[in-house]
Amino acid sequence: MQLKEMRRVVTGHDHSGKSVVLFDGPANANERNDSGIAQIWATDCSPVDNLGNDDAAIRPIKLATTPSGSLFWLCKMAPMKRAGTAADSEKMAARILERLGGGGAIKASSARPDMHATRTLDYAVVLSGEVTLILDEGEVTLKPFDTVVQRGTSHTWENRGTEPALIAFVLLDAKPLS
């Protein structure tokens, strides 16, 4: 399935306060070659104001949240074999990270060009396929319905399988580690 084909339903309130569907259609997706991100929703503060009717997903896709903000994404990750060698895959991931940068959220590790840390708490759920989470010390392979709580640590992801993987992410603004 293509990210642009995924249905996103957003509820809200009409002028009399009744619950209604505000948006029902494809997600705001940036997709290319079996990889990409669909930005489902974003918030700029906590607690969230649920009264507005604007589409909060219509904004540039950046890895940084706003202060006290959040992001909800669906990410599709192509298998490494389609990206070429491991070094090609790392370089491609590093370019993607560079495009998603902003707000000083990305901090590169010296281990690999695609290693990064964010000033966020991330919840991840693998929906389909298989991905490997790589840390400074160790790695773990994840299958459908495995979950990760990523707490601002240096990491990267690889799809070593044969099919694209689909992962749901919720990113929450977090205090800096230092």
Side-chain angles (χ1 to χ4, degrees):
M1 169 165 285
Q2 300 299 313
L3 290 174
K4 294 177 183 180
E5 296 170 357
M6 292 186 180
R7 183 177 179 195
R8 179 186 70 128
V9 176
V10 178
T11 65
H13 302 92
D14 68 12
H15 62 281
S16 64
K18 302 256 187 217
S19 59
V20 296
V21 171
L22 293 177
F23 309 107
D24 184 350
N28 176 22
N30 180 351
E31 185 173 21
R32 200 173 136 195
N33 301 332
D34 283 335
S35 292
I37 296 173
Q39 187 157 267
I40 305 302
W41 201 249
T43 65
D44 291 325
C45 63
S46 182
V48 172
D49 181 355
N50 282 328
L51 292 178
N53 290 338
D54 293 334
D55 191 341
I58 305 299
R59 60 174 69 192
I61 297 175
K62 298 287 184 186
L63 193 52
T65 62
T66 58
S68 298
S70 69
L71 298 168
F72 177 27
W73 289 349
L74 292 176
C75 296
K76 191 173 177 187
M77 186 180 303
M80 287 177 58
K81 291 178 183 176
R82 293 189 189 165
T85 67
D88 291 339
S89 180
E90 287 178 27
K91 288 176 189 172
M92 182 174 65
R95 284 193 303 273
I96 291 168
L97 288 173
E98 187 176 315
R99 282 199 317 260
L100 291 175
I106 295 173
K107 179 175 65 179
S109 167
S110 61
R112 300 170 37 145
D114 56 343
M115 291 286 282
H116 63 285
T118 58
R119 203 189 78 216
T120 58
L121 169 69
D122 306 344
Y123 301 128
V125 181
V126 178
L127 301 175
S128 64
E130 185 176 293
V131 294
T132 300
L133 170 63
I134 301 166
L135 303 169
D136 289 328
E137 298 291 332
E139 61 183 52
V140 60
T141 298
L142 304 159
K143 297 180 188 238
F145 307 109
D146 289 346
T147 60
V148 175
V149 178
Q150 168 63 24
R151 301 179 59 223
T153 58
S154 184
H155 69 284
T156 192
W157 300 91
E158 286 183 353
N159 179 348
R160 298 174 182 167
T162 59
E163 299 296 323
L166 183 62
I167 310 163
F169 285 97
V170 175
L171 291 72
L172 304 172
D173 184 39
K175 293 179 181 177
L177 291 174
S178 51

